[in-house]
Amino acid sequence: GEDFSECSLEGSANLLRDVIYMMGRSNDPKEENLFFKFQSATTRTMEAFRLAFPTTPWIFLYREPIEVMMSQLDVPRTSQANCVRSKNSSPVIRKFITKTKYDFEDLGDEDFCAIHLATLCASALQNIQDADGLGMAVNYSPDLVHDFLDTIFPKHFHTPVDKAGRDRVLEISGTYSKNRGQQAAGEFKPDSEEKKKNASDEIMDAAEEFLQPIFDELQKSEHNIRPVESDDES
C-alpha cells in the first residue's frame, strides 16, 4: 500500500529489486544503461525505490498545476479521473485534508484532484531533499528536450549522447508520445495556453488552494534543474 501497511519498506525494496533485475535482463552484452518511467502514483512509495537502488540518479517530472489538472480531468465524468478515484481509500489523502481548514464532505472532485497531485509532489520533494543530489526536479517546459540532452542525460544520468543520439531525440520529440503507435502520430503541439484558457473556475480555485504551494516549493528546490529564486532572495 501507499503507506507500507501491507508490505514493509524493506520488503517492498527487495521485491522491486528482483522485478527490475528480471525486466532488465538482456542478451546484448553492449547494453549498459537501463531507464524506467514510473506512473505518478508510485511517487508516494519512492522511498522504496531509493532503498532498493541507493546510488541510482532519478528525476521527478512535474507540470504547471492548472495544466496537469486539465489533463487529469479530461474524462467524461470527473469522478472517473485517476486523481479522484482514490479519495475514499487513500490514507494519504485523508491525512492531507486534516491539515487544512476543510472537511472531507466540503470538497468537490476538482479539490480531490488537486490534493491527490499535491501529495505526489510533496512526496517527491521530500525524497529529492533526502536523496541529496541523486534526485532532480524537472519542470515540463518548452525547453524540456534540451534539458534532457544538455543536462539530464550527460550530467545527471552520466550517459553521454553522441550526435546521432541527439538527432534521434530531436526527431522523436516532435511526435506526441501518448499517441501510442497510432498510424498518424502527427507533430507534437504544445497545449499549455489552451489548457489554461479552458480551465473552469473550480479547477483554477482548487489548483491555487491545494497544488500551487507545493509546486512553488518544487520550483525553488536547490535540486531543481532550474531553481527559481525565493521572493525574499530576489
Side-chain angles (χ1 to χ4, degrees):
E2 61 188 28
D3 58 351
F4 299 107
S5 59
E6 300 176 10
C7 182
S8 69
L9 174 61
E10 293 75 14
S12 299
N14 289 335
L15 177 60
L16 175 65
R17 196 179 296 112
D18 289 342
V19 170
I20 295 297
Y21 169 75
M22 295 300 296
M23 294 180 68
R25 296 186 67 183
S26 171
N27 59 2
D28 186 349
K30 295 181 180 180
E31 290 186 349
E32 299 179 351
N33 300 308
L34 184 63
F35 174 82
F36 279 90
K37 176 184 176 183
F38 294 98
Q39 291 187 342
S40 60
T42 61
T43 306
R44 292 182 183 151
T45 53
M46 192 178 291
E47 191 176 0
F49 295 97
R50 290 179 44 235
L51 181 61
F53 302 99
T55 62
T56 299
W58 51 274
I59 68 169
F60 176 69
L61 184 64
Y62 63 101
R63 192 172 182 178
E64 293 279 345
I66 291 177
E67 296 173 20
V68 70
M69 285 188 64
M70 286 291 287
S71 294
Q72 289 281 320
L73 295 171
D74 186 19
V75 291
R77 290 189 299 170
T78 55
S79 60
Q80 298 174 333
N82 289 331
C83 60
V84 177
R85 289 186 299 182
S86 64
K87 67 180 183 181
N88 292 313
S89 60
S90 170
V92 176
I93 295 292
R94 290 188 174 272
K95 183 178 179 180
F96 183 100
I97 295 173
T98 61
K99 297 180 180 180
T100 72
K101 60 184 179 182
Y102 300 95
D103 293 327
F104 189 91
E105 294 75 15
D106 297 332
L107 303 171
D109 288 342
E110 293 83 2
D111 300 314
F112 282 112
C113 182
I115 291 171
H116 169 86
L117 296 170
T119 63
L120 301 185
C121 290
S123 177
L125 180 60
Q126 183 62 59
N127 278 275
I128 287 171
Q129 294 170 338
D130 293 344
D132 195 26
L134 279 177
M136 176 185 287
V138 180
N139 192 1
Y140 183 96
S141 70
D143 294 326
L144 184 61
V145 64
H146 293 100
D147 286 341
F148 270 92
L149 289 173
D150 300 334
T151 302
I152 297 171
F153 286 146
K155 299 178 182 179
H156 190 61
F157 290 162
H158 306 292
T159 304
V161 182
D162 58 20
K163 184 180 184 305
R166 289 182 67 92
D167 290 343
R168 287 195 298 271
V169 170
L170 290 171
E171 179 181 2
I172 199 64
S173 65
T175 302
Y176 186 41
S177 62
K178 294 182 180 179
N179 274 307
R180 299 179 182 270
Q182 295 179 16
Q183 290 183 344
E187 180 181 355
F188 172 70
K189 296 180 180 179
D191 58 356
S192 298
E193 292 305 318
E194 182 179 359
K195 288 182 182 297
K196 292 178 181 178
K197 179 181 177 181
N198 295 331
S200 66
D201 290 341
E202 290 79 6
I203 288 178
M204 290 190 289
D205 290 345
E208 179 68 25
E209 179 73 17
F210 300 114
L211 187 50
Q212 190 67 45
I214 190 64
F215 172 87
D216 292 340
E217 289 190 52
L218 279 167
Q219 289 283 82
K220 298 171 185 176
S221 170
E222 64 177 313
H223 299 299
N224 195 298
I225 190 173
R226 198 177 290 108
V228 176
E229 285 189 357
S230 301
D231 293 339
D232 55 0
E233 295 178 357
S234 56

